[in-house]
Structures are given as C-alpha cells and as structure tokens.
Amino acid sequence: MEPLVIARNLHKSFTIGNGKGKDKQIQVLDGVSLDVQPGEMVSIVGPSGSGKSTLLYCLSGLEPVDAGSVEIAGKRIENARPNAAAKIRREHIGFIFQSYNLVPSLRAGENVALPARLAGHPLTRKQLKDVLGKVGLADRAKDKVSNMSGGEQQRIAIARALASHAEIVFADEPTGALDTKNANEVLRLLRAVTDEAGRSVVMVTHNLEAASIADRVVVLRDRQIVSELSHPTPEQILEKMEVSR
Amino acid sequence: MIKLIFADLRYNAATWAGAFVVAVACGFLGGWVASFFAMGQGSLNYTVLAFTIVAAIAVVAAIANLTVSAQRRSYALWQLVGVSPRRVSNIVLAQLAVVGALGALCGTAIEAATITPLFPLVFASPAYAYMLDVPINVGVSLMPWVWVAVAITFVLGGIRGAKAAGKTPAIVYLRGAEDRHKKMTWARIVMFAALAIASVTIAMSLYTTDPTSDGGWSASLFLPVTIAAALAAAAPIFLPGLLHAWSALLPNRLNAWYLARHKALYDLDAGGATELPVVVGAGIVAGVFSLLGVLQGYINAHDLEGMNATLDSTSAILLLGGPVLLAAVGSAASMVMVFRQRINDVSLLSAVGASPGTVVASSACEAVVHAVNSAIAATLVGLVTSAIVSTAAGMSVFSGLALGEGGIVVAVGFVLMLLASVIPTALTFLGHHPIPSRET
C-alpha cells in the first residue's frame, strides 16, 4: 500500500538573533525520513528541543523545509505555495494543537464545521450532531469555546478533524495541557480516529504512556530519527530513549 | 520591575505604537490650541475645542481601553509571576500616562515645526484674512499643559480596563474566558443621560426661537456634537446591537464575510475602538453640514438677503479638522493595535485549510463591517440633526440633509481601516508559514 505521508531527507534550520546583531543558525532536522501508512497511528517522541514539533509542522506544510521532500496523499507540500498548501490541508489534513486550537470568535459547532465549509461542502445539522456525538459533545454545538474546558476544546478539535474527512490528523502534544482523565479520553478518541474512522494520526508527545497507544513510535534525538518501535510499551520507549542518549 | 515594563513595551510594540500615534494626533491638535492662546487668539479655541474635545475624549477613551485589553494576557502573566493586582493596575495606568505624554510631546513638536507653513493655508479664507497679520507664536511655554491634558485623558480612558486587568483572575485571561460582552458602566449611563438631555434642551430651544433672531440658533451648531457624543457614550451597547441587526440580514454564504462578521461580533473592544472615531468624526461632519443645509434652505425660502449658511474653508478646518483627523488616525491605529491577535487568527484559519485569499478577503470584509457600521451610526447623527433642525425651522423633514461630507470621512476611514487590516494579514503569508501560537 502506498504510504499516505512520505517524507524524505528533511533538513530544517532556524536563524536565531541574539539581540546584538549576531544571528545564529540552529539545525533542527538533519536528514529525517518518515513514512506513514493509511490508517496508521505514529507517535513522535524525544527530549525537549529534539525537533518533534518542527518535524510535525514540516510534515504538514506549516513550516517550509530547507531541503528534502514531503508528499501527502501523493501531493508535494514542502515549500508549496500558500494556496496549494491550504488546499492540501483543507482536503487531507486535520490539526490538533496543545491549546488554542479553535477560532475563538466561532462557537464550538461552527469550529467543527469550518473546514468543511471552507472546502465548499458545508455540514448538515445531522452530520454536525453526529460528529459532535462521536466526541461526546452532541449538545455543546452552541457553546462558546472560551467557556469550554481544555479537554472539551481538544475533543472539539478532534471532531473538527473527523468532520473534515481529513485522511491524516497531526496532533502536537494534544494532551500536554490536560489532566489524566481528560488526557485519556482524548487519547481514546485519537485511537478511534485510526481504528474506527480509518484515518492516520501523527502525534508528537513527551508522554510515553500516551505515545505507547500508537502503532509505531519514532524516537527523535539530535535532529535525527534514532529509533522506531512497533506497538511498544512505555518502558520499551524509555529504554530506547535512554540507549540513544 | 522596570525591566519587565520596558520588555512588555517592546513585546507589545504594535499596540503601544497605535496608542502613541493617537497621542501624537491629540498633541498636534492641542499644540494648535496652545499656539492660538499664545497669539492672543483664544476665542478661536472655542471653535476648535467645541468639536475636537468631544472627538478626542471618545477616541482616546476607546484607544486606551483597547491598549489594555489587547495586552490582557501579558498582565495576567505578570500576576502569575507575583505582581500584585493593584500594582498591575498602577503600572498599566503609568504606561498609558507615559505613552500619552510622550505622544503629545511629539505631536506638539510636529505642530511647532509645521505651524509656519500651515498657518496661511488654514487661514486662507477671506473671512479670516486678519489672522495673516498676526505674528506666529508657537506658545512653547503652554505645551506642557497639552502633554498633561493628553496624559490625563489617556489615564481616564484606560482606568476601567486597568482596574479590570488587576481585578480579573489571571487564569480567566489565560484561558481567554473573560466576558467580552460589553456593558454600560454607571459613568457611561450618566454621560449618556446628560448628553441626551443637552440634545433635547438644544432641540427645544430651536423650536421656540426664530432662526433669524440675533444669536437665536447659535446653539444649533452643538446639536450634532451632543448627539454624536451621546451615541459614543452608549457605544458599548449601541454599536454591537447595530452591527448584529444589519449584518444578520445579509447571507453568510461567503466564507470571508462569515469569518469577518463573527470576528467583529466577538472582538467588541477592538471593533468599538475602530468604529467610534469614525462615528464621531463622520457623525459631526454629517450633522453640521445637514444643519447648514437646512439653514441655507431656510434663507433661500425666506429670501433673506445678505445671509448665508455656508462654511468657508477656514471655519471648516477649525471646526471639523480635529474630529476628522482623530477619526482617521484612531480607526487605522486600532486595527494595527491588534496585530498580534490578527497573526494568531490567521494561523488558526490557515491550519484548518483557509486559503490566503480567504484570510485576506476576510480581513478586508472586517474593514467593510466596521466602515458600514460606522456609516450607519454617523448617518443616524445626520438624520436626527436634520429632522430636528428642519422641523424647528418649519421646513419639511430632512430638507437640507447632507450626508456626502460625512460619507467622505467614512470613505477615508474605510481606506485606512482596509490598509491597516489587509496589509498586516497579507504580510503574515510572506516569509514564513503561520503556526498557531500558544498565546493570544
């Protein structure tokens, strides 16, 4: 089966100013390659500053790469022109960030319906209710997002990804700001995105318990992928992270 | 602490720059007032201040409030690192005072540097030919009064926001869960009542006085000012209500329009600060020209020879220059002040697949929303003024109604709002791809 995401030899660096006119080049990704199969859940783990989030943003076309290529559903997204990248995101990608996922001026239901609306296929009321029901928030469509808890906001973000028919969901520390109960619920829903909806999920996390729900765990260290594990336990992930030190 | 304050000023530079530019405009206008006093022409100031002071108070209050509300997250973070709520409020007010005073200082400096070439242009009207013989005196010794006045107006304008910044639990701001539904404070209710009573009193006096009697209708010139000011006092409920009413009539099919309408209805602090300067500026202009239209109609109808109710260029500049300048500067500045929030909005929309075209069109629609809302409110000032004055003069309702001049002010405001919203939005697509921030 053709991978849904094909990333090859990604290089990415940032220029950081020190405030004294001397800029410094920081290499964040150094030759990273990664494939994601349809219906596969992949976790990316690694120490702080290892480039996890940058890799996620490069894979999704939010961040341009210095070198290398990224294909999403057969379409090149790296360094794509803004309109083309927006079209790919609209048609194939859903996002869940750690927080501030939702457009604050729109109600919960309007946020869920937004990608479909932007794609020119507005959701019917029934579709909206169904998708909100899948995340347990069927009666919260009219709520202001600012009045919802962090966990509820994440579930709305998952519903938004489900409603948009995104083939792949990129999640950046989706449980990072949540308590254990809400984090578990969000992880259960993300797993269901793969198992029940047949979508792919790529999740960045520093939580090894969370990472272990994935089909495959990728360990990132010193700008490179140093290890890959299939259906690992948290202990196995920790061991690989220790070994790669 | 000082380091924290200056770091905050640098971090929120766009917000403070907007407030600073408005302070510069106030200082520039105040500089002219000071110069007139120094030249012994204080009587001119009654004309200048009558209209400008209302516009200045309305615009500065809105901008000062926006300055605080746009930085509520920073102030919440200050509380989290141990700065007491009371201290947060005091620092916010001190920042406003400093920016107001520094802006006014620059404004008066610009006035001092430009008064010599501008003076003959302002007094080009033959009716003011005598002014060209008056030696120009900048009145440097009076300038500190201008700086203090502008600083005080900024502090008074921001006092409510500053208190709220200190009182509201930090976590409420950090979660973005603060109550954005604008309410009428007691001060606003009292101000609105006073201005409404003043408007009614002026209107009543017109109905009982002959327009041609000596000085009988001199108060009529203040009618559009009191009406516009009353609307400004009621702005927190009036402008959102108006926006809700007319925008609900339009279909939501266009994505850009849909997003812009929701944003305008959500972000009432920024919307009010954008619209209020134009409402006051264009409202006063529309009201004054409608009033003059009625009076000219009355003069024509009664064949009153030797009388006319037209406004020469100098009088127009003295009466309306201040409100128009503040309308333009205030509306554009308020759009720039929410730059950081705009970037985050762009990022969120981009992440869910909105094309750059949709996002930029949405920011253009936002300018349209604010301009139309301002235009309707300003038209209301012109209509009410015209209705009162025309019926008091025994003429048909709305005779002499003149909305064109007010329309020009709205058009100028719209162009500036458009540039101030579209350019920063478009720029976020250049150079880097936006990623939603964990802050607002």
Side-chain angles (χ1 to χ4, degrees):
Chain A
M1 195 186 293
E2 183 77 3
L4 187 61
V5 180
I6 304 172
R8 290 288 173 269
N9 202 23
L10 299 183
H11 291 261
K12 176 70 186 173
S13 59
F14 290 109
T15 305
I16 297 174
N18 64 357
K20 293 174 185 168
K22 288 179 184 173
D23 292 340
K24 200 172 148 191
Q25 199 81 2
I26 306 267
Q27 184 83 19
V28 185
L29 298 177
D30 184 11
V32 172
S33 296
L34 180 70
D35 289 353
V36 180
Q37 300 296 330
E40 185 186 25
M41 184 172 192
V42 176
S43 290
I44 302 173
V45 298
S48 293
S50 60
K52 304 186 293 289
S53 293
T54 301
L55 174 58
L56 193 83
Y57 296 147
C58 289
L59 292 174
S60 56
L62 282 177
E63 193 79 74
V65 296
D66 298 337
S69 64
V70 181
E71 269 184 34
I72 302 272
K75 294 168 188 163
R76 294 281 288 269
I77 194 169
E78 91 282 357
N79 302 329
R81 295 181 71 83
N83 272 323
K87 190 164 187 284
I88 295 170
R89 282 199 287 273
R90 206 160 53 226
E91 291 175 352
H92 303 286
I93 298 175
F95 278 104
I96 301 163
F97 299 98
Q98 182 176 357
S99 54
Y100 300 103
N101 272 300
L102 307 174
V103 180
S105 55
L106 300 179
R107 307 258 166 178
E110 291 167 336
N111 264 285
V112 171
L114 185 59
R117 185 193 166 99
L118 290 169
H121 314 295
L123 297 182
T124 62
R125 270 181 202 194
K126 187 178 178 310
Q127 285 172 321
L128 178 61
K129 200 170 179 190
D130 285 350
V131 78
L132 281 169
K134 282 180 185 163
V135 296
L137 296 170
D139 56 346
R140 306 291 299 274
K142 300 265 182 203
D143 282 17
K144 288 181 184 175
V145 294
S146 58
N147 291 341
M148 303 182 99
S149 70
E152 287 167 341
Q153 290 192 27
Q154 293 303 69
R155 282 148 69 189
I156 290 293
I158 293 172
R160 183 178 63 188
L162 288 171
S164 70
H165 302 292
E167 291 155 80
I168 181 155
V169 175
F170 289 107
D172 183 13
E173 301 276 14
T175 60
L178 303 180
D179 59 58
T180 309
K181 185 172 170 240
N182 277 302
N184 288 339
E185 176 61 12
V186 166
L187 290 171
R188 185 189 69 74
L189 288 168
L190 279 175
R191 190 64 244 187
V193 168
T194 305
D195 295 343
E196 293 166 24
R199 324 278 178 88
S200 303
V201 173
V202 177
M203 173 173 69
V204 161
T205 181
H206 62 268
N207 180 337
L208 302 188
E209 287 279 349
S212 67
I213 71 160
D215 301 312
R216 186 156 54 105
V217 175
V218 170
V219 181
L220 203 62
R221 182 169 199 93
D222 296 332
R223 307 174 296 278
Q224 292 175 326
I225 291 176
V226 292
S227 183
E228 290 194 33
L229 299 156
S230 181
H231 296 286
T233 62
E235 291 73 24
Q236 287 170 319
I237 302 170
L238 182 63
E239 191 183 328
K240 279 291 175 191
M241 288 179 72
E242 296 287 332
V243 167
S244 64
R245 210 172 254 183
Chain B
M1 196 67 224
I2 297 291
K3 198 173 178 182
L4 177 64
I5 293 170
F6 278 97
D8 177 75
L9 285 173
R10 200 168 55 233
Y11 183 70
N12 293 303
T15 306
W16 286 111
F20 181 78
V21 169
V22 171
V24 170
C26 290
F28 179 77
L29 295 170
W32 277 89
V33 171
S35 298
F36 288 152
F37 274 121
M39 285 184 252
Q41 303 295 323
S43 59
L44 283 175
N45 284 331
Y46 297 116
T47 317
V48 175
L49 288 177
F51 287 12
T52 301
I53 210 156
V54 172
I57 290 171
V59 172
V60 169
I63 292 292
N65 195 42
L66 177 63
T67 307
V68 179
S69 72
Q71 300 176 87
R72 51 187 176 263
R73 184 181 160 82
S74 288
Y75 299 136
L77 291 171
W78 287 14
Q79 286 189 51
L80 289 187
V81 297
V83 182
S84 71
R86 190 189 180 89
R87 205 159 182 210
V88 169
S89 300
N90 291 341
I91 290 168
V92 173
L93 292 176
Q95 285 179 320
L96 284 170
V98 169
V99 169
L102 285 177
L105 190 150
C106 290
T108 50
I110 292 170
E111 187 267 347
T114 57
I115 190 168
T116 304
L118 289 179
F119 198 80
L121 299 174
V122 171
F123 292 100
S125 171
Y128 289 86
Y130 67 95
M131 282 298 293
L132 299 177
D133 297 327
V134 176
I136 293 174
N137 183 350
V138 172
V140 174
S141 62
L142 296 173
M143 295 305 185
W145 291 104
V146 177
W147 309 338
V148 171
V150 174
I152 289 174
T153 315
F154 263 80
V155 169
L156 291 177
I159 208 160
R160 186 166 161 255
K163 276 187 179 170
K167 272 184 189 168
T168 309
I171 197 67
V172 174
Y173 282 137
L174 292 174
R175 283 188 55 216
E178 71 273 24
D179 184 10
R180 283 170 183 260
H181 182 73
K182 303 301 286 182
K183 296 183 188 89
M184 285 287 281
T185 57
W186 277 109
R188 278 189 179 273
I189 292 170
V190 169
M191 212 184 303
F192 174 76
L195 289 161
I197 290 169
S199 302
V200 171
T201 307
I202 293 171
M204 297 297 284
S205 75
L206 299 182
Y207 282 104
T208 54
T209 317
D210 179 3
T212 57
S213 66
D214 194 23
W217 271 37
S218 56
S220 64
L221 205 55
F222 293 101
L223 189 60
V225 183
T226 53
I227 295 171
L231 275 191
I237 53 168
F238 174 70
L239 291 176
L242 183 65
L243 173 59
H244 213 283
W246 70 262
S247 65
L249 301 174
L250 300 174
N252 262 333
R253 252 170 306 202
L254 276 179
N255 288 329
W257 173 258
Y258 169 82
L259 294 168
R261 178 174 179 263
H262 276 83
K263 182 159 169 26
L265 285 168
Y266 171 76
D267 216 343
L268 298 177
D269 272 334
T274 303
E275 292 168 15
L276 203 56
V278 180
V279 172
V280 173
I284 288 176
V285 170
V288 167
F289 278 94
S290 294
L291 166 72
L292 295 174
V294 174
L295 292 178
Q296 190 59 51
Y298 184 88
I299 290 165
N300 295 342
H302 293 81
D303 287 330
L304 300 172
E305 283 186 22
M307 293 182 78
N308 76 76
T310 53
L311 209 57
D312 62 75
S313 64
T314 300
S315 301
I317 291 171
L318 293 179
L319 274 174
L320 306 173
V324 170
L325 176 69
L326 288 168
V329 172
S331 57
S334 66
M335 294 289 255
V336 175
M337 286 167 75
V338 290
F339 177 70
R340 194 175 291 282
Q341 193 186 329
R342 188 176 295 284
I343 290 176
N344 210 44
D345 289 346
V346 169
S347 313
L348 285 169
L349 292 174
S350 299
V352 294
S355 67
T358 300
V359 178
V360 172
S362 165
S363 66
C365 286
E366 215 184 303
V368 172
V369 168
H370 292 311
V372 171
N373 212 40
S374 312
I376 295 172
T379 301
L380 207 59
V381 177
L383 286 174
V384 173
T385 305
S386 174
I388 292 171
V389 178
S390 56
T391 51
M395 300 172 71
S396 57
V397 186
F398 300 137
S399 64
L401 181 66
L403 300 176
E405 290 80 0
I408 293 170
V409 178
V410 172
V412 171
F414 169 63
V415 170
L416 291 171
M417 285 181 210
L418 195 64
L419 295 174
S421 61
V422 168
I423 291 175
T425 305
L427 284 177
T428 59
F429 289 103
L430 299 175
H432 80 288
H433 292 217
I435 293 169
S437 162
R438 284 171 191 170
E439 55 186 74
T440 52

Coordinates of all heavy atoms in Angstrom, one line a residue, chain A residues 99-129:
Chain A
S99 N -3.0 23.7 22.6 CA -4.1 24.5 23.1 C -4.3 25.6 22.0 O -3.5 25.7 21.1 CB -3.7 25.2 24.4 OG -2.5 25.8 24.4
Y100 N -5.3 26.4 22.2 CA -5.6 27.5 21.3 C -5.8 26.9 19.9 O -5.3 27.4 18.9 CB -4.6 28.6 21.3 CG -4.5 29.2 22.6 CD1 -3.5 28.9 23.5 CD2 -5.5 30.1 23.1 CE1 -3.4 29.5 24.7 CE2 -5.5 30.6 24.3 CZ -4.4 30.3 25.2 OH -4.4 30.9 26.4
N101 N -6.5 25.8 19.8 CA -6.8 25.1 18.6 C -7.9 25.8 17.8 O -8.0 25.7 16.6 CB -7.4 23.7 18.9 CG -6.4 22.7 19.0 OD1 -5.6 22.5 18.1 ND2 -6.3 22.1 20.2
L102 N -8.9 26.4 18.6 CA -10.1 26.8 18.0 C -10.2 28.3 17.7 O -9.6 29.1 18.4 CB -11.3 26.3 18.9 CG -11.2 24.8 19.3 CD1 -12.3 24.5 20.4 CD2 -11.3 23.9 18.1
V103 N -11.0 28.6 16.7 CA -11.2 30.0 16.4 C -12.1 30.6 17.4 O -13.2 30.2 17.5 CB -11.8 30.2 15.0 CG1 -12.0 31.7 14.6 CG2 -10.9 29.5 13.9
P104 N -11.6 31.6 18.2 CA -12.4 32.0 19.4 C -13.7 32.7 19.1 O -14.6 32.7 19.9 CB -11.4 32.9 20.1 CG -10.4 33.3 19.2 CD -10.3 32.2 18.2
S105 N -13.7 33.3 17.9 CA -15.0 34.0 17.5 C -16.1 33.1 17.0 O -17.2 33.6 16.9 CB -14.6 35.1 16.4 OG -14.0 34.5 15.3
L106 N -15.8 31.8 16.8 CA -16.8 30.9 16.4 C -17.2 30.0 17.5 O -16.4 29.7 18.4 CB -16.3 30.0 15.2 CG -15.8 30.8 14.0 CD1 -15.3 29.8 12.9 CD2 -16.9 31.6 13.4
R107 N -18.5 29.6 17.5 CA -19.0 28.7 18.5 C -18.4 27.3 18.3 O -17.8 27.0 17.2 CB -20.5 28.6 18.5 CG -21.2 29.9 18.6 CD -21.7 30.2 19.9 NE -22.0 31.6 20.1 CZ -22.6 32.1 21.1 NH1 -22.8 31.4 22.2 NH2 -22.8 33.4 21.2
A108 N -18.6 26.4 19.2 CA -18.0 25.0 19.1 C -18.4 24.3 17.8 O -17.6 23.8 17.1 CB -18.4 24.2 20.3
G109 N -19.7 24.3 17.5 CA -20.2 23.7 16.3 C -19.7 24.3 15.1 O -19.4 23.7 14.1
E110 N -19.6 25.7 15.1 CA -19.1 26.4 14.0 C -17.6 26.1 13.7 O -17.2 26.0 12.5 CB -19.2 27.9 14.2 CG -20.7 28.3 14.2 CD -20.9 29.7 14.7 OE1 -20.1 30.2 15.5 OE2 -22.0 30.3 14.4
N111 N -16.8 25.9 14.8 CA -15.5 25.4 14.6 C -15.4 24.1 14.0 O -14.5 23.9 13.1 CB -14.8 25.4 16.0 CG -14.0 26.7 16.3 OD1 -12.9 26.9 15.7 ND2 -14.5 27.5 17.1
V112 N -16.2 23.2 14.4 CA -16.2 21.8 13.8 C -16.5 21.9 12.4 O -16.0 21.2 11.5 CB -17.2 20.9 14.6 CG1 -17.4 19.6 13.9 CG2 -16.8 20.7 16.0
A113 N -17.5 22.7 12.0 CA -18.0 22.8 10.6 C -17.1 23.6 9.7 O -17.3 23.6 8.5 CB -19.4 23.3 10.6
L114 N -16.1 24.3 10.3 CA -15.4 25.3 9.5 C -14.6 24.7 8.3 O -14.7 25.2 7.2 CB -14.4 26.1 10.4 CG -13.6 27.2 9.7 CD1 -14.6 28.2 9.1 CD2 -12.7 27.9 10.7
P115 N -13.8 23.6 8.5 CA -13.0 23.1 7.4 C -13.9 22.6 6.2 O -13.6 22.8 5.1 CB -12.3 21.9 8.0 CG -12.2 22.1 9.4 CD -13.5 22.9 9.8
A116 N -15.1 22.0 6.6 CA -16.0 21.5 5.6 C -16.6 22.7 4.8 O -16.8 22.7 3.6 CB -17.1 20.7 6.2
R117 N -16.9 23.7 5.6 CA -17.4 25.0 5.0 C -16.4 25.6 4.0 O -16.7 26.0 2.9 CB -17.8 25.9 6.1 CG -18.4 27.2 5.6 CD -18.5 28.2 6.7 NE -18.9 29.5 6.0 CZ -20.1 30.0 5.9 NH1 -21.1 29.4 6.6 NH2 -20.4 31.0 5.2
L118 N -15.1 25.6 4.5 CA -14.1 26.2 3.6 C -13.9 25.4 2.4 O -13.5 25.9 1.3 CB -12.7 26.3 4.4 CG -12.7 27.3 5.5 CD1 -11.5 27.1 6.4 CD2 -12.7 28.8 5.0
A119 N -14.1 24.1 2.5 CA -13.9 23.2 1.3 C -15.1 23.3 0.4 O -15.1 22.6 -0.7 CB -13.7 21.8 1.8
G120 N -16.2 24.0 0.8 CA -17.3 24.2 -0.1 C -18.4 23.1 0.1 O -19.3 22.9 -0.7
H121 N -18.2 22.3 1.2 CA -19.2 21.2 1.4 C -19.7 21.3 2.8 O -19.4 20.5 3.7 CB -18.6 19.8 1.3 CG -17.7 19.7 0.0 ND1 -18.3 19.7 -1.2 CD2 -16.4 19.5 -0.1 CE1 -17.3 19.6 -2.1 NE2 -16.2 19.5 -1.5
P122 N -20.6 22.3 3.1 CA -21.0 22.6 4.5 C -21.7 21.4 5.1 O -22.4 20.6 4.4 CB -22.0 23.7 4.4 CG -21.8 24.3 3.0 CD -21.2 23.3 2.2
L123 N -21.5 21.2 6.4 CA -22.1 20.0 7.1 C -23.6 20.3 7.3 O -24.0 21.4 7.5 CB -21.5 19.8 8.5 CG -20.0 19.5 8.6 CD1 -19.6 19.3 10.0 CD2 -19.7 18.3 7.8
T124 N -24.4 19.2 7.2 CA -25.8 19.3 7.6 C -25.8 19.3 9.1 O -24.9 18.9 9.8 CB -26.6 18.2 7.0 OG1 -26.1 17.0 7.6 CG2 -26.5 18.1 5.5
R125 N -27.0 19.7 9.6 CA -27.2 19.7 11.1 C -27.0 18.3 11.6 O -26.4 18.1 12.7 CB -28.5 20.2 11.4 CG -28.6 21.7 11.7 CD -29.9 22.2 12.0 NE -30.0 23.6 11.7 CZ -30.9 24.4 12.1 NH1 -31.9 23.9 12.9 NH2 -30.9 25.6 11.8
K126 N -27.5 17.3 10.9 CA -27.3 15.9 11.4 C -25.9 15.5 11.4 O -25.4 14.9 12.4 CB -28.2 15.0 10.5 CG -28.3 13.6 11.0 CD -29.1 12.7 10.2 CE -29.1 11.3 10.7 NZ -27.8 10.7 11.0
Q127 N -25.2 15.9 10.3 CA -23.7 15.5 10.3 C -23.0 16.1 11.4 O -22.1 15.5 12.1 CB -23.1 16.0 8.9 CG -23.5 15.1 7.8 CD -23.1 15.7 6.4 OE1 -23.1 16.9 6.2 NE2 -22.7 14.8 5.5
L128 N -23.3 17.4 11.7 CA -22.6 18.1 12.8 C -22.9 17.4 14.1 O -22.1 17.2 15.0 CB -23.1 19.6 12.8 CG -22.5 20.4 13.9 CD1 -21.0 20.5 13.8 CD2 -23.1 21.8 13.9
K129 N -24.2 17.1 14.3 CA -24.6 16.5 15.6 C -24.0 15.1 15.7 O -23.5 14.7 16.8 CB -26.1 16.3 15.6 CG -26.7 16.1 17.0 CD -28.1 16.2 17.1 CE -28.5 16.0 18.6 NZ -29.9 15.8 18.8

